Amino acid sequence: GAAVVGALSLLMFIPATLLAMETDVFVVRDLTGTLSVDRQAALTKDAREKLDRVLRFYDVGPKVDNLGKIRLEFDEPRGGTYSTVFIMLKEGNRRVRVVRVFGVDKEPQMVAHKLTHAIFISPDKLVRNMMGIPMEVRFGNPLTFPMCGFRSDEWVDAFRRKQSYIPLSDLGPDHEQWGMSTRGGVPVVLDKPRQHVMYAESGSFGEYLLASHGAEKMRRFWRLSEGGKRPWEEVFGLPLKDLEARWLQSLEAKKPDEKKVEALLHLLNRNPKDACSEAQRLVGASASGK
């Protein structure tokens, strides 16, 4: 007994980067160097539950056989902000799927969203977000960007009233069109208001496509988009312009919660850069670690 306890306490002082906890799906790393074994295990269990729900929803497997295990990394918040990114790292002659979680003292954010990206790898940012953001809504943290404690639909209504709506045809495949870039392979934000508009729109539109066409067609859309095209008509039977019109009509038919949309519009008019963090504060987000 004492020997085991001594060995465990010795383990705690080995730099965390040298330690890797492994499951059948994840290779887990603590980049903070501060997580207890119990906390790391709890975070890993939570990520696994989210992943399992995403896999069941889309009726797919974790793709470990052909892509290898997902590297799940826990890190400090970036600039005080909780988020998660998905990146493909080149190691030797193979590419490794990495889901890096920034901020784990409280409930992490964007984990379900980015685990979806690790299953449905795509060079097209719109395709990724249409599939991933709805998974965060269902299985993740409601305070996560771009919802920030509200619904993507409510943000889209507010953006339209503010006349900052961006047509879906402008939501290109690359980070640059979304007000973003990459640094060291990790996405960084250059234009926060533009990024928020595009993420909220892609999430809301993805929800509409799932509701009207189902998960199987979304999966097919992803598969057929692998060559860089967006097969709207082939999968959904209509060109993007018509799908977009129907989505916006469906938002209007839902009769939005006026108080919530007005509150978001107020935040956007005051400072669109801080609208998400202020919205999170409105719904008690200070408890989330933001």
Side-chain angles (χ1 to χ4, degrees):
V4 173
V5 171
L8 280 176
S9 59
L10 184 65
L11 266 182
M12 296 298 291
F13 292 101
I14 297 173
T17 47
L18 300 180
L19 291 176
M21 190 173 94
E22 249 184 85
T23 74
D24 58 336
V25 175
F26 296 132
V27 175
V28 186
R29 290 186 180 174
D30 168 24
L31 302 183
T32 73
T34 61
L35 293 178
S36 69
V37 172
D38 285 350
R39 181 61 178 150
Q40 198 169 320
L43 288 164
T44 302
K45 180 174 179 279
D46 180 66
R48 180 58 193 266
E49 287 170 358
K50 288 179 168 68
L51 176 63
D52 284 345
R53 288 172 169 176
V54 170
L55 297 177
R56 278 197 299 273
F57 184 90
Y58 282 118
D59 193 21
V60 291
K63 306 184 180 180
V64 171
D65 290 344
N66 56 331
L67 294 173
K69 294 183 181 182
I70 298 168
R71 190 186 298 166
L72 182 65
E73 299 181 341
F74 300 118
D75 207 345
E76 302 289 349
R78 287 202 294 175
T81 298
Y82 271 45
S83 66
T84 300
V85 299
F86 169 68
I87 49 180
M88 291 291 288
L89 284 185
K90 201 169 186 324
E91 289 193 349
N93 58 359
R94 67 189 187 112
R95 286 162 67 77
V96 180
R97 296 179 289 172
V98 179
V99 173
R100 190 172 296 159
V101 184
F102 294 97
V104 292
D105 289 343
K106 308 271 172 59
E107 186 185 353
Q109 299 189 16
M110 299 179 87
V111 176
H113 176 176
K114 299 302 179 173
L115 284 171
T116 306
H117 288 194
I119 301 302
F120 298 101
I121 298 168
S122 171
D124 191 326
K125 204 166 173 66
L126 176 59
V127 177
R128 297 196 300 268
N129 286 336
M130 285 188 334
M131 298 186 78
I133 295 172
M135 296 302 98
E136 189 71 30
V137 170
R138 284 165 178 76
F139 311 129
N141 185 342
L143 294 173
T144 286
F145 176 86
M147 291 79 67
C148 315
F150 289 78
R151 294 171 62 242
S152 292
D153 291 358
E154 290 158 353
W155 282 106
V156 173
D157 284 320
F159 290 134
R160 292 181 78 197
R161 292 183 195 186
K162 187 173 164 50
Q163 297 187 313
S164 54
Y165 177 84
I166 299 169
L168 294 183
S169 56
D170 289 355
L171 275 63
D174 305 320
H175 287 303
E176 286 66 28
Q177 290 110 355
W178 295 62
M180 300 175 69
S181 184
T182 55
R183 199 170 294 144
V186 177
V188 292
V189 181
L190 303 177
D191 184 340
K192 213 168 181 180
R194 181 177 180 87
Q195 182 210 24
H196 197 176
V197 173
M198 295 176 99
Y199 267 72
E201 288 182 13
S202 58
S204 174
F205 185 54
E207 288 284 8
Y208 166 76
L209 292 174
L210 282 169
S212 55
H213 296 274
E216 191 182 339
K217 284 205 172 176
M218 285 287 270
R219 210 172 62 231
R220 183 166 179 256
F221 184 82
W222 165 78
R223 195 174 65 250
L224 294 176
S225 73
E226 283 184 307
K229 59 176 183 170
R230 292 175 174 175
W232 303 111
E233 290 184 65
E234 189 175 347
V235 177
F236 302 118
L238 290 169
L240 177 60
K241 196 174 178 184
D242 293 351
L243 288 169
E244 182 173 22
R246 291 191 178 195
W247 159 56
L248 294 174
Q249 283 165 8
S250 78
L251 291 187
E252 288 161 10
K254 282 180 191 171
K255 293 191 170 58
D257 184 322
E258 285 297 327
K259 276 189 178 175
K260 288 184 177 178
V261 176
E262 285 296 329
L264 296 181
L265 192 56
H266 174 70
L267 296 180
L268 289 169
N269 283 328
R270 198 164 66 191
N271 186 349
K273 277 188 182 179
D274 296 336
C276 175
S277 53
E278 289 299 317
Q280 289 166 326
R281 257 190 281 283
L282 276 181
V283 291
S286 55
S288 80
K290 275 284 195 176

